[in-house]
Amino acid sequence: MESLEEKPIIYTMENKPIVTCAGDQALFTALYSSLAQQLPREPMEWRRSYGRAPKMIHLEANFVQFKEELLPKEGNKALLTFPFLHIYWTDCCDTETYKASVKEDMLRWQSTLRHHGSADWLIVVVESDGKKKNKTNILPRTSIMDKIRNDFCNKQSDRCVSLSDPLKESSRSQESWNSFLTKLRTLLLMSFTKNLGRFEDDMRTLREKRTEPGWSFCDYFMVQEELAFVFEMLQQFEDALVQYDELDALFTQYVLNFGAGDGANWLSSFCQPVKSWSGLVLRRPIDMEKRELIQRGEASLLDLRSYLFSRQCTLLIFLNRPWEVTQRALELLHNCVQELRLLEVSVVQGALDCWVFLSCLEVLHRIEGCCERAQLETNSSHTVGLWTYATEKLKCLGYLCGLVSENGPNSEDLNRTVDLLAGLGTERPETANSLQSPYKKLKEALSSVETFEKHYLELSHAAMEMYSAIGRLRSARLVGKSLAEFYMRKGDPQSAENFLQDSLKSYVAEGWSLPVTHTRKQIAECQKRLQKTEDYLQTSALLASDANLTDEERKHFCQEILTFANQTTGSQGRNVGLSMTAFAQLRELQFLPPAALVHVGATLQLELRLWSLMPVPVRLEHLAASVHFNLEQPGSRGTAAAQRRPGQGQGTAEGTVQFSTISPSGAAPLGAPPPALELYEIQDRSPSDNSLNSAGVVCKNVHLLLRRHDSAASLDTPNASTSAIAMEDGAQMLKTNDVTLLPGNNSILFTAPTQKPGTYTLRQLCATVGRVQFVLPHIYPIVQYDVYSQEPQLSIEPLTDNLLAGLPQKVKFTIVTGHYTVKKGDALQLSNTDSMPILHTSSCSARILSSTGELVGESALSIQSSEKVTSISLPLTPPYHTLEFQLDVLCHIPSALGRAENERLTNGEVRHRTKSRSRGNSKMASIDQKVSIDCPWSIYSTLISLTFYIPFKAKHSLLSAGKRKYIQVCLHNVSDTNFRLASQTLTERQQTPSLQLHALNAKTHQLVYSKQWVFCLWEVRWITEPPPCLQCVFSASFAPVDSPDSALKPYSYDFQVERISTLYSLKAEIRPAAGEQHCRTGALCGLEVSITRLTEPSDAEREDEEFTENEGLRTTRLMYEVVDNNSNWAVCGKSSGVVSMPVAAMATHKVQMEIMPLFAGNLPFPSIKVFKYLPHSATPAIQPDTDSCLENDNLSLLDKGLEDQADTASLRSRGSVHSLGSNEQQQQQQRGLPMPRLEPFSPGQVFNCSQGRQVLVLPGTDDHILEVNVT
Amino acid sequence: MAVCIAVIAKENYPLYIRSVPSQSELKFHYTVHTSLDVVEEKISAVGKAMADQRELYLGLLYPTEDYKVYGYVTNSKVKFVIVVDSSNTSLRDNEIRSMFRKLHNSFTDVMCNPFYNPGDPIQSKAFDSMVSGMMVQAC
């Protein structure tokens, strides 16, 4: 046994549980091969203690010859060498032999086993028919079995099995094999369970003792590892791994506890200084050297960790979990570094780096060895960490050993390198012959500057490629940056720059200001070395404005720019253009005047607010803004300019444009909220008549708002592209010289050029400091101002809402001079018209206003009037000013509008037109008066139309009282002004001596309020005979209420009255029925109408009237009609009729008819009408125009269609009381006859005496109906 | 406790980043920025695998020799990153989780502030003091 323990065992996969074989060796040898082959064929379920899940395992065994030495001694915990089952083989079949030798041998075997406390045994009796045949005195086979069972297995009969004819191919033999194998497996598992359980219990007990002083982790480690080995042997890798993980955790916990001050004694052995750093060894399943160190308690922390990890790695690879290996490896390496720090283990500087580097590579090699290339590539996310770590460590080593410098390592560095290499030891035999190994790599890398660079670059690029491949761009950039640092150390800024720029891009794109600043500083350094002056200055500008830097640093970079700027321009002395964004920000721009719209030559000032980002005041030689000039489009002046107001988009005060501030370092442009909508109104007007075609809103910064937000692209957002900055050579410039920009806000005033009309757009801003120009290539939002040129204009406007005709009215003359200068002697020439004289007063003065509305001066106007022309000489006025003055004008009221129409064209230009315009409720007649003015700036006359309103409306009416006649004039004030009316008179146009107009008006002065009426009355008296026609003129004076008498203006109204004298007098009388005192409702009453001719017809009237000579008596025919429109009366019988009246004075005709009152009360008389009744031959008739008649008329017309056109003129019954039947009868009867016609009398020709009379009607005696009116 | 705490906007720019003053702030900026790679990887992996599962804690993003970087992402894709010193071994996963929860709660408070404009750097004093409480008290 001693020899076994001493002999180093290389435990490999070939390890199997040991099963010893005693008894007939020859027999066993014959059976061995089939046994070893058949045992693992079928899995067995292994039920396990402590609630662990049962497992199916394929059992294998290593069958060895039984020796007593194989049995473990008391206290030996080795499990691997532990025989789990002892089998005794025999093919004895006769009792004699059994009794003679076999039994004895078996007894010895049993006692040995029992002595060692092993109860796992099996006796196999092999039976074969061949043997039986040879020996005749054999017992039946069962008897041998029974004997053995009796002798040995007193309680466990299952420990003895028979195997019959094992070498024969028969079903019986197969069956016997199967049962034997099953038995064997069961017993093996039983033994495992029992022995492993016991072992675990022991182990646990040992672990519980860990607080005791003498406890050693290394001892315990060996014990638990034994278990792991067994599990590994049983191919239970998972369980084996658990054992190592437990050991790992236990150790970790101890280290942590040590850190917490609770140190265990045994740990001190791990705290010894690290002497060897040869890295992990993963090529061997078990690193026996390390294991022995552990066993001896001489292992260092790195040894223990390395060994532990190599075991875990092996098991993980068996489990096909290579990616866990890489992950655990990284954790392990980090952890080891930490633990060494925690335990305060002294390590040679750089030793750990070597160890980590070697280990990383070793793990990677191991993984590469067990994985396919494609698999490796797809899983590079697992390996890239190790690559990076190795790269980092190599870089550290390089710095440490002076390999990363322009000069190479010095002697101290070399000494250090030698020390480090010494700690590596010699290369391990298994890799000694391969071309590449971590060991060789490290040694090579540390040997010279060139090889170091080669290896370092290789590793870096590999890591970067992997990162890029798996999309970890940020990590790749970080590696790149570290590479750039390396290049910079090596004095190769050219190679460094690209990496730095790439990194910078990604930091800028994602808005990480600190890394941006740091990287930019590195770039500045790089560019300075590369002598990329322009780029360097640009970067310096960015750094000088970087708030993350200290003032010192910022001043340094600012000074760099200034120093360059002040260099006297040498041979290659060209100016350098830089982006302004880093130098200063345009914050605000303000126009003065705010409208940003001025006329040609006016002053327009522009105030620029620049926020200087420099840490020190900077003196600018020039600050210039280039201006793009757009020639004014003819026709679009004025209105177009007013719509395009700058600064609308930013919603600021008028004339102020604010610019969004972008952080100069480019930080957080991604996260910044999207720019605000810039909406503008657009109006599309037709070019011909300026009418609106369409209106809308347009967003001017769509390109910014709808920009695609692509995260991939955003990482490549270009930095302020310095190359694109070029100063435009604008013809126009806003320029100021010698400006000093203080840090922070600066205000700079420009005077804008306004020589030509048009639109000026600010394009660029350029600040010049010596040789350096800071250019803002685009000014956004667009800043524009407009310069316009204007034609002179004259306008005349009423001062009040309406101009009233007939009264002097003030009008305002406004002259907008535009580009015209009013010179001395310039005058307005107004053509005079009769209908509208210009009233000039002596004190008339003109006001001159500037374009902004300020009063500039005031001067008197001189007005000269000749017969045809009124000349107003204008005061001197500069261009783009406004000249205002007021004049009184008077528009005469045409006395009779009808006659005035198209008649009064005085000088061919002026004409009146009456219009009916609706103004409020009342309608005011208006007169359009055109004024023709010759202006000094134009050869054409200007025509200006003024509308005057006539303040009054007049009406007249003829009133009669018997034979007496009156004329009433009604004057309606339709204006809004209250007027005073004076000296109303009515006169004849042609004086008739026999006629007299007698005024009945009480007052001569009267007030007419707005919208009120005034009535005037005159009696017409005549001596002989009234004239057939009377032409009158009503005239009055009027003035506004509060004005003096002198202001009274005349008003006249012409009218004509005809047929003045009264021809007939009508009288009606209602009498109650006979015997009654009063009329009663429902009772017939008598109505007597008497028509009396009052005068002989006059000559004039004779023409109108139709006379008939009948028996010497001249008669005329009249038609009377009784109508009661109020339905108070029912007319019984004929309500109308035709009478012949003698044409003689006082001839009377009486008509009797019966009417019936329908209501009680004082009823008005029914109205009686009289018409002239003319035969059909007479001249075309006037349609009877009673309203009710018209309605009937239409009805009948519809009825009869177009049968007879004459019908329309037929005599029709009118009045509602008539039955329709009679109406129709009449019509029927009259059809085909020549139709007479009716003609009404003029008002005043018939006088109705009983007009307005009423008669009392009593209610009927028996009223069936009681009518109640409730109102 | 943490040595650096960062809040990163959906668009990956920092809303808030604070580290212990004793160590280089710049280094943490680089570390946190680089960790976004892993955050994005994890988010996209989560998005594919379990869209409905709302595990906001992303766990250990990556360890370095000196630090452990943990990640957390809110539903609105705002990321929290906590960097812990590797030597600080007493911190368990649960404690990191609770730190993130606290951070999230405080962040929610910040977002609830009507005067806070989402996307702006966080300047809330309450948030700051909460973060200070989670950081190592450097003396």
Side-chain angles (χ1 to χ4, degrees), chain A residues 253 256 330-331 333-335 337-338 341-342 353 356 381 389 392-393 467 470-476 478 481 506-507 509-516 518-519 522 668 670-673, chain B residues 6-9 11-14 17 25-38 40-41 60-67 79 85-90 92 117-120:
Chain A
Q253 194 54 51
L256 292 183
L330 206 55
E331 269 172 47
L333 299 177
H334 292 320
N335 192 33
V337 174
Q338 286 297 326
R341 234 178 259 173
L342 199 65
D353 296 333
V356 169
S381 64
Y389 199 24
E392 270 172 42
K393 286 301 161 190
Y467 273 134
I470 57 171
R472 294 195 187 177
L473 291 180
R474 296 180 189 86
S475 310
L478 197 65
K481 232 182 125 261
S506 96
Y507 299 136
E510 294 193 318
W512 287 73
S513 66
L514 238 81
V516 164
H518 178 237
T519 312
Q522 291 176 320
L670 257 181
Chain B
V7 180
I8 295 136
E11 295 85 1
N12 287 338
Y13 63 93
I17 180 157
E25 198 185 352
L26 180 68
K27 186 172 69 180
F28 288 118
H29 277 250
Y30 280 124
T31 307
V32 172
H33 182 251
T34 313
S35 75
L36 292 177
D37 272 339
V38 190
E40 281 184 350
E41 215 169 87
L60 180 67
L61 297 180
Y62 71 95
T64 65
E65 209 172 283
D66 307 308
Y67 303 108
K79 294 123 190 161
D85 209 313
S86 282
S87 59
N88 192 342
T89 42
S90 60
R92 298 265 167 259
N117 194 5
D120 285 356

Side-chain angles (χ1 to χ4, degrees), chain A residues 841-862:
Chain A
T841 47
S842 54
S843 60
C844 182
S845 69
R847 285 146 49 89
I848 300 166
L849 305 170
S850 72
S851 58
T852 51
E854 288 165 73
L855 186 65
V856 173
E858 207 162 339
S859 66
L861 281 179
S862 66

Side-chain angles (χ1 to χ4, degrees), chain A residues 689-705:
Chain A
D689 57 349
N690 205 33
S691 65
L692 192 63
N693 281 340
S694 69
V697 172
V698 65
C699 176
K700 286 217 169 172
N701 55 352
V702 179
H703 59 291
L704 291 176
L705 292 163

Side-chain angles (χ1 to χ4, degrees), chain A residues 183-219:
Chain A
K183 177 71 71 183
L184 185 61
R185 288 180 195 129
T186 314
L187 288 174
L188 256 175
L189 281 180
M190 271 172 66
S191 169
F192 287 156
T193 313
K194 195 170 77 191
N195 289 302
L196 291 183
R198 198 162 52 213
F199 187 86
E200 280 177 5
D201 286 343
D202 290 348
M203 185 182 86
R204 232 166 264 126
T205 317
L206 184 60
R207 192 162 65 198
E208 290 316 311
K209 286 181 187 161
R210 67 183 179 272
T211 46
E212 289 173 15
W215 192 81
S216 158
F217 177 78
C218 294
D219 294 347

